Amino acid sequence: QWDWRAAGNFICGGAGGGLIMFAAVSGTSGNTLAALLLGGLALVGAGLLCVWLEIGRPLRALHVFFNPRTSWMSREAFVAALLMPVVLVAAAGLPGAHWLAALLALAFVYCQGRILRAAKGIPAWREPLIVPLVVLTGLAEGGGLWLLLMPELAAQQPLLLGLVGVLLLARAAV
């Protein structure tokens, strides 16, 4: 049974990962970069909280780390465990850490797509294009949040503005 809690994981996790990506490539720095990174991390955390609420026995949540060789959910958990401290370090201003945060955010969103693809009980998710759909959706949502939060900066960066448009078109095509 998948309900709002599972949906919340994919919506918040994807949008948060996308926002972290856009924060990293936007050229912002200082408090603005920190706020964007922390906002993206908060969304990822909210998504993971939704998954934790979905578990029938929340104290068993650590079992997610037991099967990284076979489970995309385990891989997502490991990526999230790396993403959180890296985003915090990047928000604190360590030079270059925002690029590692962006790569981990992309890996997190990719893992989410693979989780859906691996859910054999839902025939629509067996579609091979589900992974690019989830990744493109997360990046487009993150780009939309970036536009909403930073409209003045977006107006000064036509390449990133165009990237959001390309992501939306690619998502629609997939």
Side-chain angles (χ1 to χ4, degrees):
Q1 280 273 335
W2 291 60
D3 59 9
W4 67 268
R5 296 167 292 194
N9 175 46
F10 293 104
I11 292 168
C12 292
L19 182 56
I20 291 168
M21 292 273 308
F22 269 86
V25 300
S26 68
T28 59
S29 60
N31 290 338
T32 303
L33 176 61
L36 290 171
L37 290 171
L38 293 174
L41 186 61
L43 284 169
V44 169
L48 293 172
L49 176 64
C50 287
V51 169
W52 183 73
L53 292 173
E54 185 178 16
I55 297 171
R57 294 171 28 195
L59 295 179
R60 295 183 64 200
L62 292 177
H63 288 205
V64 75
F65 291 101
F66 290 165
N67 296 306
R69 287 181 291 134
T70 59
S71 167
W72 280 101
M73 193 174 289
S74 292
R75 294 173 188 148
E76 176 197 41
F78 277 105
V79 171
L82 293 171
L83 177 65
M84 291 183 181
V86 168
V87 168
L88 292 174
V89 167
L94 182 68
H98 62 288
W99 294 113
L100 180 56
L103 287 174
L104 288 169
L106 181 61
F108 181 82
V109 175
Y110 178 76
C111 287
Q112 287 193 320
R114 294 303 302 243
I115 288 169
L116 290 181
R117 177 88 167 96
K120 301 295 183 203
I122 300 173
W125 291 350
R126 293 184 207 145
E127 170 64 42
L129 291 176
I130 192 70
V131 176
L133 177 66
V134 170
V135 172
L136 288 169
T137 300
L139 295 178
E141 289 173 346
L145 286 172
W146 177 76
L147 287 173
L148 188 66
L149 295 169
M150 305 297 296
E152 303 86 23
L153 181 62
Q156 298 170 8
Q157 295 193 349
L159 287 177
L160 286 181
L161 195 55
L163 178 59
V164 174
V166 167
L167 287 169
L168 290 171
L169 290 173
R171 187 205 172 280
V174 170

